[in-house]
Each structure stands twice: as structure tokens, then as C-alpha cells.
Amino acid sequence: AQSVAQPEDQVNVAEGNPLTVKCTYSVSGNPYLFWYVQYPNRGLQFLLKYITGDNLVKGSYGFEAEFNKSQTSFHLKKPSALVSDSALYFCAVRDFSSYKLIFGSGTRLLVRP
Amino acid sequence: DVKVTQSSRYLVKRTGEKVFLECVQDMDHENMFWYRQDPGLGLRLIYFSYDVKMKEKGDIPEGYSVSREKKERFSLILESASTNQTSMYLCASGTSYNEQFFGPGTRLTVL
């Protein structure tokens, strides 16, 4: 069965420091991977995706993610965190037997001033 | 820009009422989805539709039904609302192989 794991419920980082939000996946075949962000009382906003090509994917708001096939990971990164990056982040993988996305449980990022 | 709209941001209903949540997308996407989001449980798929008048059960369809009479519109129906259906409801649309686009969500409270 296909699945996504976000091992950290919360990540704390100081403003200006680099941040990483972890995601690992389990799929059969080549994965389609996605990151979304959710601000309080809002829907999910798409950040970036990996379909094929370069392992380092750049997305919105200065975020990037690194696809690592051998470690089955797709960690979200940003070189310098902002307080406004504080939000809930979801990793997702496409289920190839349907049109569904399988979401991780989410990681809350808290950037302190 | 893709736009997905939901009929209400906040909704308060009583137990036993029939509740309609409406979702409209403007990008001619084939696929539409309804999720509920609860603290600690992440997003759970209720129903999805890959074409007009077509629907598939997601992971938690019990107590819900859906309707898709037009391509741009996907409705979620709570036949008889219960308190355990108090939640944030998120609608999304997308194509088969790419990202989904989400609406702003409806926070439903059932008293």
C-alpha cells in the first residue's frame, strides 16, 4: 500500500536559520510527490511538486525540496526561515491506482523571532 | 489562477438536519474531491469524482453522499448531520496527474 510519513509533529526554528520538514514515502513505481502549506483557517496551498527530472525542486515562497530515491524521502527545505513561514505543512504522494493524493499527517512549523 | 470556491466559510447546523456543502471550480478539471480535516488525523478523503455523474468512495464515506451534475460543481451532502461530523471540510479539484487545488474550507459545527 502506498503511504506517506511525516515523522515530526512540530518543527521549531529561529528566524533566519535554515529549516527542514521531513517526509518519507512508500510507493510502487515512480512517485509523484507534492508539498502543501496551510495557514490558520485556510485551505491548502500548493508549494511544489516532483514528477520527474532534477532531484532538487524549487517552489513558492523560497521553498525547495530534495527528492532522494534511495532513501525514499522528499524533505522540504528553506535556507532562511521567516516568522511568516509558521504554518502546517503537508506532504503527499499520488496513488496510481486512482486519482487520489495520499497525505501525510502534517507537520507544524513554528518560526520564532 | 485556478479558483476553487466553497459556499460557506462557517456553518452551524443542528443534529438531524440535512446539510449541503457546495464547491465550484473554474479550471475545467475532471477530478474533484471532498476531504475532512480533524486535528491529529490530517486530511481524510470522503468522496471523489473523476467525471460528471461519476463518484467514488474515499476512505470515510459513511454518513455522506455527493452529487456532480455539472463538471464545475461538486456537492457534499450530510443526510442527517451528527455531532461527530463537526469538522473542517475541504474541497479540491485537479487533473489526473498533477496537483490538486483547494478551496478555503468550510468549518461545520453540528450542535
Side-chain angles (χ1 to χ4, degrees):
Chain A
Q2 299 176 97
S3 64
V4 174
Q6 293 182 242
E8 301 154 316
D9 289 336
Q10 183 160 315
V11 169
N12 298 309
V13 65
E15 188 174 31
N17 282 1
L19 69 88
T20 299
V21 183
K22 295 179 181 177
C23 172
T24 59
Y25 65 89
S26 174
V27 298
S28 51
N30 294 322
Y32 284 18
L33 295 156
F34 305 86
W35 274 104
Y36 288 83
V37 61
Q38 185 180 33
Y39 298 100
N41 294 313
R42 304 287 294 274
L44 274 67
Q45 294 179 32
F46 169 71
L47 274 180
L48 51 79
K49 65 183 176 185
Y50 173 83
I51 305 293
T52 187
D54 264 348
N55 289 342
L56 187 63
V57 178
K58 294 191 184 296
S60 306
Y61 312 123
F63 283 94
E64 57 191 26
E66 186 168 11
F67 171 65
N68 187 316
K69 189 171 184 177
S70 62
Q71 296 185 6
T72 62
S73 67
F74 189 55
H75 299 333
L76 182 70
K77 301 181 180 186
K78 189 173 183 182
S80 178
L82 299 172
V83 172
S84 57
D85 293 329
S86 299
L88 188 56
Y89 290 81
F90 289 97
C91 180
V93 66
R94 192 181 181 289
D95 179 349
F96 278 96
S97 65
S98 70
Y99 304 103
K100 300 188 297 185
L101 289 182
I102 300 168
F103 285 87
S105 54
T107 298
R108 188 164 300 282
L109 174 66
L110 183 61
V111 182
R112 59 186 185 276
Chain B
D1 278 353
V2 175
K3 194 159 186 183
V4 179
T5 57
Q6 296 184 227
S7 49
S8 305
R9 291 299 307 274
Y10 299 94
L11 209 52
V12 179
K13 295 293 181 180
R14 298 211 172 271
T15 302
E17 280 193 81
K18 191 168 187 175
V19 182
F20 293 87
L21 302 182
E22 303 242 303
C23 176
V24 178
Q25 52 100 357
D26 67 357
M27 280 303 291
D28 202 36
H29 286 156
E30 306 95 15
N31 305 325
M32 295 188 75
F33 307 82
W34 275 106
Y35 296 88
R36 65 177 281 176
Q37 182 180 14
D38 301 287
L41 298 177
L43 271 71
R44 295 182 289 169
L45 182 65
I46 305 171
Y47 267 97
F48 65 104
S49 168
Y50 52 89
D51 202 352
V52 176
K53 297 192 186 293
M54 305 301 289
K55 60 186 179 185
E56 292 281 344
K57 292 180 180 179
D59 301 317
I60 51 162
E62 297 78 19
Y64 303 94
S65 62
V66 290
S67 172
R68 193 165 180 202
E69 297 295 320
K70 294 185 178 181
K71 191 173 187 180
E72 69 270 18
R73 190 179 296 270
F74 191 36
S75 302
L76 179 70
I77 303 154
L78 286 66
E79 296 290 342
S80 177
S82 63
T83 55
N84 63 12
Q85 292 179 310
T86 291
S87 186
M88 171 73 113
Y89 289 87
L90 295 168
C91 174
S93 74
T95 58
S96 297
Y97 295 100
N98 286 301
E99 63 271 24
Q100 293 176 16
F101 296 89
F102 283 80
T106 296
R107 188 166 291 284
L108 173 67
T109 302
V110 183
L111 301 175

